[in-house]
Amino acid sequence: MRITAAQRTENENRIRAAMDRLLRGEIPPGGTCDIKTLAREAAVDRTAFYGTRPYAHLREEFERRLQMLQQAGRIPDPRAAQIERLKAEIAALKERLARTEDVNDELSEFRSQALARLAAQHEEILHLRRSATTAGRVTRLPAARTTTIGSCS
């Protein structure tokens, strides 16, 4: 079914109005900032935007404007912006987790070494005590005094 020039102009005006709304961030419920939503909002068949169809140039214009907004750091679709923000947050959290795991591995290794050293020192102390009790030439020192002389203030 052919459309008249007036109908085509009216359709293009509706498409441009819908395009402007979507690019401003006025996304309808259940929609995104894409050609499917653009066609639905303009009440035009989506296939008219592809190939050599009459509104292919408007699809290209829409995609170009959307890409320019994205390059400028503005994402008109709040869901897409949220997805990008969450992806960045996930990447940062993964890096933080990797750093934390590295620190935990280092601390676990340090703990293992410290426990091994303590165990070796304890064994050496026990060995020296056994040696001291069996050897008769070791003289025991008197215990430290616990009384204080004079005022501490």
Side-chain angles (χ1 to χ4, degrees), residues 106-133:
E106 290 174 14
L107 291 175
S108 293
E109 179 64 28
F110 177 76
R111 181 177 180 257
S112 297
Q113 290 176 358
L115 288 174
R117 288 178 185 154
L118 285 173
Q121 289 172 354
H122 180 68
E123 286 297 319
E124 182 66 20
I125 289 170
L126 291 179
H127 172 70
L128 291 174
R129 282 184 183 162
R130 280 192 301 269
S131 298
T133 56

Side-chain angles (χ1 to χ4, degrees), residues 46-61:
R46 183 173 48 149
T47 60
F49 288 101
Y50 296 100
T52 58
R53 300 290 177 108
Y55 307 120
H57 68 284
L58 292 175
R59 175 185 52 86
E60 292 168 0
E61 178 184 339

Side-chain angles (χ1 to χ4, degrees), residues 143-149 152:
R145 287 191 287 175
T146 57
T147 59
T148 59
I149 301 172
C152 293

Side-chain angles (χ1 to χ4, degrees), residues 3-149:
I3 60 172
T4 65
Q7 290 173 323
R8 182 177 173 144
T9 303
E10 181 183 328
N11 286 346
E12 286 186 6
N13 289 338
R14 281 199 323 267
I15 292 169
R16 287 186 193 282
M19 187 185 311
D20 290 338
R21 285 193 309 273
L22 290 176
L23 294 175
R24 276 195 311 265
E26 298 174 18
I27 311 295
T32 59
C33 194
D34 62 356
I35 296 297
K36 182 178 179 181
T37 305
L38 176 63
R40 190 177 63 217
E41 287 295 299
V44 176
D45 185 30
R46 183 173 48 149
T47 60
F49 288 101
Y50 296 100
T52 58
R53 300 290 177 108
Y55 307 120
H57 68 284
L58 292 175
R59 175 185 52 86
E60 292 168 0
E61 178 184 339
F62 176 72
E63 290 172 346
R64 187 178 63 254
R65 288 176 60 189
L66 180 61
Q67 187 177 24
M68 286 173 37
L69 284 174
Q70 289 172 341
Q71 288 174 351
R74 287 192 51 233
I75 300 176
D77 189 352
R79 287 190 326 187
Q82 182 181 24
I83 289 170
E84 290 302 316
R85 182 183 55 78
L86 291 173
K87 282 181 181 179
E89 188 175 328
I90 287 171
L93 288 172
K94 282 182 179 180
E95 184 167 327
R96 181 176 164 195
L97 178 63
R99 285 193 315 264
T100 302
E101 287 175 347
D102 289 343
V103 168
N104 283 344
D105 290 344
E106 290 174 14
L107 291 175
S108 293
E109 179 64 28
F110 177 76
R111 181 177 180 257
S112 297
Q113 290 176 358
L115 288 174
R117 288 178 185 154
L118 285 173
Q121 289 172 354
H122 180 68
E123 286 297 319
E124 182 66 20
I125 289 170
L126 291 179
H127 172 70
L128 291 174
R129 282 184 183 162
R130 280 192 301 269
S131 298
T133 56
T134 58
R137 53 194 159 103
V138 175
T139 307
R140 295 231 176 241
L141 296 175
R145 287 191 287 175
T146 57
T147 59
T148 59
I149 301 172

